[in-house]
Every structure is written in C-alpha cells, then in structure tokens.
Amino acid sequence: MGRGDVELVWPGKYDAEGRRAAIPSPGQRIAPVAAYGDDPSAGLLLHGDNLAAMDALLAAGERVDLGVIDPPFATGDNFSISLPIGEGDAVHRAPAYSDRWEGGVAGFLAMLDPRLRLLHQLLADDGSLYVHLDPTVVHPVKVLLDEIFGPECFQREIIWRIGWVSGFKSRARNWIRNHDTILFYVKDPARFTFNKRYVPYPPGYVRRDGKPPKGKGIPIDDVWNAGPGDLDLRGADSLDSIQIKSFSREKTGWATQKNESLLRRIIDASSRPGDRVADFFCGSGSTLAAAASLGRRWVGCDRAAMAIHLARKRLREAGASFVQATLTRPSAVSSSSGARGSADVAPPVGDASGDAAAEGASTPAIRGDEAHLVGAPEETLSLAVLQAARAHAASRGCASLRIVARRWGFALADAAAAAEEPAVAIACLHWRGDEPALPRPELRVHVRGVEAWTIVVELAGYAHSAPEHLPDPEVCARVQRWDEWLDAWALAFAEAARPFAPVFERGRSRRRRALDLTTEAITIPEAARASTVALRLHLVDILGLETLWPLTLRFTADGALQASEVGVEIAGGVAGFG
C-alpha cells in the first residue's frame, strides 16, 4: 500500500514476489556531471533517456531545487515539428515524438512512475515539483504523486486557462474544454521555497468598499489567466497559450510548446537566483529559457533529437551559457538485456575504431533477395565491415544490401566502389532510433585560409543521395535550392574529452529565416596549432537528420592552410571538398 489512503495499480507495478518493482536500469550513461565544464552557472542540455540523466545526477551527488515537467498526456497522438524551408513562408512538418503507450494510460503510468520516483530522490530537501497535465490523466497522476511524495506534500492544483476559444474547438457538443492542470508538490511541506507574487492592479481597479487599492497588487491564486490582473497582461507576459497566438515570436514549431511567461511565474515563485531548475521532458526548452532569463542554473533532457535541436537553437539565440551532451549506451548493454530502452539497440557491428569487425558483425540478415546490416549506435561502421557484408550478401545471391548505422568510417563514393564487384547494390541509411531510416546525405564544404592560422568555412552543397527513400515526396518539390534542406549548422574544434562547444553556429528561426552559409574568420587557438587540426561540422536538416563530419585541416609551420579534407563520422557522405 502506498503512503496515501488509496493506491493506484497497473500491470508491472509489483514484481512476481509482490514487491514494488525496482526502478529500471537506465541502459544509458553520461560522464560525471563535473566533466561538463568549469562554469558552475552553465546549463546542462542532455539528449537521451531522462532515467539515465537523473541516475547520473544522483550518482554525482547533485540535487535540483525545482522540477518542472510537462510529460506526454497519453493522448494516443503522434506529434510533429514545423521547420521553416528557406526564407519564404513554406514549412515542413517532421515527426517529433509519439504519445502512444502500450496499454494506454496504464502504459503511460508505467513509464512515468520510475521517473517521478527518481525525481523525488533528486529534489533538494526544500525543493518543489510542478507537473503539467491535461484533464485526461491528471487524476491518476495525482494519486501516484500522493503515493511517491505523500499526500501532505501536495500543495495546489493550478488551473491554467489556455485562452480564447474559436474555430473547430468551439463546435463540441459539450462544455468547451479550455484549461490544463498543473500539480504542485513539495519535498517537505515544512521548509519549501516560495516567494509570494502579485500581478499589477488593472486600470480602474477598486476594493470592495469602492476605495483604490493600497497593496502590492493582486496576489496570484491557483486559477491562472482568468481573473483581473492576469487578463490585462500583454505581450511576452500574457498567459494565453502561444498555440493560439498566430504570430507569437516565441514559437519554435514544437507542437506542444508552452509559454515562457507560464514557466517564469513558476520559477520566480518556487526558486531563488542561483538555484538549479530541472526539466526532464524539456521539449523545445521553454523551462530552460525561462530559467536562464531569471538567473537560475538549469538542466534539461529529452530523448527526441528534434527537441534538443530546437532547444539548442533557442538557447543560443538567447545568449544562454550551457553545455550539451548525448547519453550513450554502455557496451555491456545488448539488445537482449532487458534494460529500459534496449529495444532500439542493434547487434554490434564493429569496434569504435572501425579497424576490425566483431564476431559475426559483418554477417547481414537475409530477407528474400535483400541483405540487411544494422550497426550499433555508438560504433563506427568501417569499410572492411561493409566489404565483408557485401561479399556475404553476394554469396547468398542477394541483389542488394541495406546498411543502417549512425557512425560511418567511409564516404559514399567508397561504398559505391565496394558495390561494383561482386555486383550488389548498396543503400546506406541513417539510423534515427524509432523513426524510419533516411538516406545518407552528400555534403560539399569549402575551406580557405585568409591569414596565418585563420580560416573561413563555407557550405557549398547538400543533397540526399536517394531521394526516393524520403518520407515525404512533397518536400522535394517545396525545396527550391540545396541550402533550403538545412535548418542549422555549427563548427567546433574536435576535443573528444569535451562536449560540443561551437566556435560558429547558425540556425533558422521564426525571427531569422535566412541561414548564413559562410562562417566569420575563425582563428585557430595557439594551443591547437599543429600541422593537422581537427574540427567537427554538425548539421541538422529539415527532415530532422543530424549529421557530424570530421573536418581535417593541414597547415604549414607558419600557419598557411595547405589542404582541407572532409571525413565522415555520422550519416555523412562526401561530394567534394576544396
């Protein structure tokens, strides 16, 4: 029985012996939190399973002062992201995340339960948690939170009026739904942080006795965006959902994005400057942007690559200081280990150096007359593995070989040459986890030296090598120029022991549709000056395909650029370099 008077039960809550099921092994890892930079005030943006993120923070002895989460609502829907195409009004709607759970609400609770339990452990003794939900799941989640925190730790049920109602929503033969619910819990009801806040009196406001008010303003209650004061808020302070504001400049294209004004109200009331705010379902980063604007430290995590991409662009545009890391799966975790998230782990393909294949790694699965080879997500697939797989496919009479991987140790031209003898058509696809694989793109980059140890990098071409495999054929028709495929790109020095810290970064947004294709002059730091200098070029296109190319530069002793070479690491191909 839980700590409350009632208990919520779902399949899997208890093990075969009747004990409370243990929190699943994360199946992913990150380096110690201390490794992510020397600035203790910097934010931390993590891509991967939030179970692993919280597990790593706990292992490092970290605590968070305020948790603010907006988890999926078990709607049964698939959500998308709207990315701008070029500088006009066209957009492409790419998959963002799925809110479908096996077992419906029971499956949703089975996902949420261990995360809430870890988050409770991670909260500081005077910490607070806000959970944003809709009316369909708020009631079971409240019972679950009562069990985890204790019913005495429940503080308020906040009703957020979304805004005006119009269009299709207003046709319902029922009361029109116009609110979400935010549940407010604390770790210890005797010592939680709370800063009482007020909204200004609206013009003409008088007290019940008809006299003008004398206080600090109208104290904020637990019904938001519905009473005097709230309804007078305008612009960036308005609490109307940005989803109903056609021209909100906050919009990132994320389907379930929330207002920064909403998050600022929560963060301002339940934390102090310098406190750490955490959002482990961070989406496009509204909580993180609001926390940064209020002088709070923050940590954000999401498993959707496009969420991290949008949050990164948004935070960079706002000038926030942060480091980014990707949660990687330990080599000991296999596809049969039963660890959480292991369903998308493929059999190993080769070692990380790409110099040798693991036992059986080059043997593809045969389906009819087609061979399939799937690479492990964190390992580099070498040309030697490709050649062995191609030879095996040819010996079994296969006409084609489909390779799906994240990291590549060869260019597309090498793959084409390997396919010539014996004749096996090779298709190289990029693995995107739960999403369908996409063809590897081809990239053209120009690098020129402008003075000693100083370069300018220009993107000169980008194309999908097999457009017939793209998920939306209409996208090709809407893209008029090669650069309209691109949503953002960045360049950084390749330091394996450090997170990706760009020296140049640009991205499209609602405010800035144009994308710079040429960097400013980049000077090689003295500590990095050598005959060979390695950089990394990171690129995201409008299909959500993230690519990372090593860029190798060769210099003379006096700093003159001799040559540049674009290699291939993740889902990349080389059309040329200069």
Side-chain angles (χ1 to χ4, degrees):
M1 180 62 72
R3 294 166 64 184
D5 296 327
V6 295
E7 182 184 13
L8 195 67
V9 179
W10 59 87
K13 182 176 182 179
Y14 293 97
D15 63 20
E17 284 73 38
R19 297 169 301 192
R20 190 73 161 85
I23 295 174
S25 170
Q28 291 179 312
R29 67 184 177 196
I30 57 174
V33 175
Y36 289 118
D38 302 322
D39 182 2
S41 66
L44 178 59
L45 183 62
L46 298 174
H47 177 207
D49 193 332
N50 48 25
L51 271 178
M54 288 186 272
D55 186 65
L57 289 166
L58 283 167
E62 296 287 331
R63 291 295 181 268
V64 299
D65 304 287
L66 173 62
V68 186
I69 62 172
D70 180 17
F73 296 165
T75 62
D77 296 329
N78 290 319
F79 290 94
S80 62
I81 174 178
S82 298
L83 295 174
I85 298 177
E87 300 174 34
D89 296 328
V91 296
H92 169 60
R93 298 182 68 84
Y97 70 94
S98 174
D99 191 12
R100 296 179 178 179
W101 305 94
E102 185 177 353
V105 173
F108 167 72
L109 292 171
M111 176 279 296
L112 192 60
D113 170 62
R115 289 158 173 81
L116 291 177
R117 290 159 65 189
L118 276 182
L119 189 44
H120 179 259
Q121 296 176 35
L122 193 57
L123 278 180
D125 290 340
D126 60 351
S128 302
L129 173 66
Y130 288 78
V131 184
H132 191 135
L133 301 158
D134 75 353
T136 62
V137 293
V138 65
H139 306 96
V141 172
K142 182 178 185 307
V143 177
L144 177 59
L145 285 165
D146 280 347
E147 177 181 335
I148 295 171
F149 280 73
E152 71 280 2
C153 294
F154 169 69
Q155 295 298 304
R156 293 291 184 269
E157 177 188 44
I158 297 166
I159 301 300
W160 173 48
R161 173 183 168 272
I162 295 170
W164 66 87
V165 176
S166 63
F168 179 80
K169 187 177 178 181
S170 65
R171 301 175 191 172
R173 187 174 175 272
N174 206 326
W175 310 112
I176 308 303
R177 177 184 166 260
N178 194 24
H179 80 278
D180 278 356
T181 303
I182 303 171
L183 299 177
F184 171 29
Y185 280 76
V186 297
K187 187 77 169 278
D188 183 347
R191 55 181 299 193
F192 63 94
T193 298
F194 192 80
N195 310 304
K196 192 175 179 69
R197 291 296 183 249
Y198 304 80
V199 289
Y201 296 114
Y205 183 87
V206 295
R207 301 188 312 186
R208 288 184 180 181
D209 60 6
K211 295 179 180 180
K214 297 180 180 179
K216 299 178 180 180
I218 301 174
I220 298 173
D221 58 27
D222 59 4
V223 180
W224 293 359
N225 199 33
D230 270 4
L231 291 176
D232 272 28
L233 298 175
R234 295 289 182 268
D237 294 325
S238 169
L239 291 176
D240 285 338
S241 170
I242 62 170
Q243 300 300 335
I244 63 174
K245 297 178 182 179
S246 300
F247 301 104
S248 171
R249 294 176 68 83
E250 277 186 32
K251 283 188 174 181
T252 63
W254 190 254
T256 53
Q257 180 185 348
K258 303 301 186 295
N259 309 33
E260 285 187 36
S261 59
L262 190 72
L263 280 308
R264 283 196 299 270
R265 173 169 289 191
I266 293 171
I267 294 167
D268 185 44
S270 288
S271 68
R272 299 157 298 218
D275 280 354
R276 172 168 279 174
V277 179
D279 185 347
F280 294 104
F281 297 86
C282 72
S284 62
S286 294
T287 300
L288 316 182
S293 72
L294 292 173
R296 273 63 166 174
R297 298 178 299 149
W298 54 265
V299 55
C301 179
D302 207 292
R303 67 179 303 164
M306 290 309 296
I308 298 300
H309 169 56
L310 288 182
R312 179 186 181 85
K313 285 201 302 180
R314 182 180 192 173
L315 292 160
R316 288 292 182 199
E317 190 173 0
S321 174
F322 68 96
V323 292
Q324 179 181 343
T326 299
L327 283 67
T328 60
R329 203 170 304 281
S331 58
V333 177
S334 71
S335 59
S336 59
S337 68
R340 173 167 293 276
S342 64
D344 62 352
V345 181
V349 178
D351 66 7
S353 67
D355 294 333
E359 182 73 25
S362 59
T363 304
I366 306 298
R367 303 173 189 171
D369 64 351
E370 187 173 67
H372 294 253
L373 182 65
V374 181
E378 303 304 329
E379 296 176 347
T380 301
L381 191 145
S382 70
L383 188 59
V385 170
L386 166 66
Q387 291 170 333
R390 177 234 12 176
H392 180 81
S395 70
R396 296 289 297 274
C398 295
S400 61
L401 170 64
R402 288 169 57 87
I403 300 175
V404 182
R406 279 182 177 169
R407 295 181 180 267
W408 305 80
F410 54 86
L412 284 173
D414 297 328
E420 291 179 0
E421 185 62 41
V424 175
I426 295 178
C428 295
L429 304 179
H430 176 62
W431 186 14
R432 299 196 300 163
D434 297 334
E435 298 297 328
L438 293 178
R440 290 171 63 192
E442 296 178 89
L443 173 70
R444 187 176 182 86
V445 181
H446 290 163
V447 184
R448 57 187 173 88
V450 292
E451 55 184 79
W453 300 108
T454 303
I455 60 168
V456 169
V457 179
E458 177 189 6
L459 296 186
Y462 184 86
H464 286 276
S465 57
E468 66 275 11
H469 291 295
L470 298 182
D472 185 357
E474 295 182 4
V475 178
C476 295
R478 293 198 296 270
V479 174
Q480 301 299 311
R481 305 191 312 268
W482 67 264
D483 60 292
E484 291 182 346
W485 282 111
L486 309 181
D487 188 62
W489 69 295
L491 194 68
F493 290 100
E495 300 177 60
R498 303 285 291 179
F500 189 77
V503 294
F504 174 87
E505 187 166 16
R506 292 292 185 273
R508 302 188 198 272
S509 68
R510 193 177 182 89
R511 300 181 184 184
R512 181 188 175 94
R513 301 281 296 221
L515 183 66
D516 294 333
L517 299 175
T518 305
T519 68
E520 308 100 349
I522 297 173
T523 300
I524 310 299
E526 287 192 21
R529 292 177 183 177
S531 59
T532 300
V533 176
L535 294 93
R536 287 189 292 165
L537 194 156
H538 180 270
L539 190 148
V540 181
D541 70 13
I542 61 174
L543 297 176
L545 184 61
E546 293 188 77
T547 64
L548 182 65
W549 282 269
L551 181 60
T552 303
L553 309 179
R554 296 184 177 86
F555 290 88
T556 62
D558 58 0
L561 179 66
Q562 285 187 310
S564 63
E565 178 180 321
V566 179
V568 183
E569 183 173 339
I570 300 180
V574 179
F577 56 87

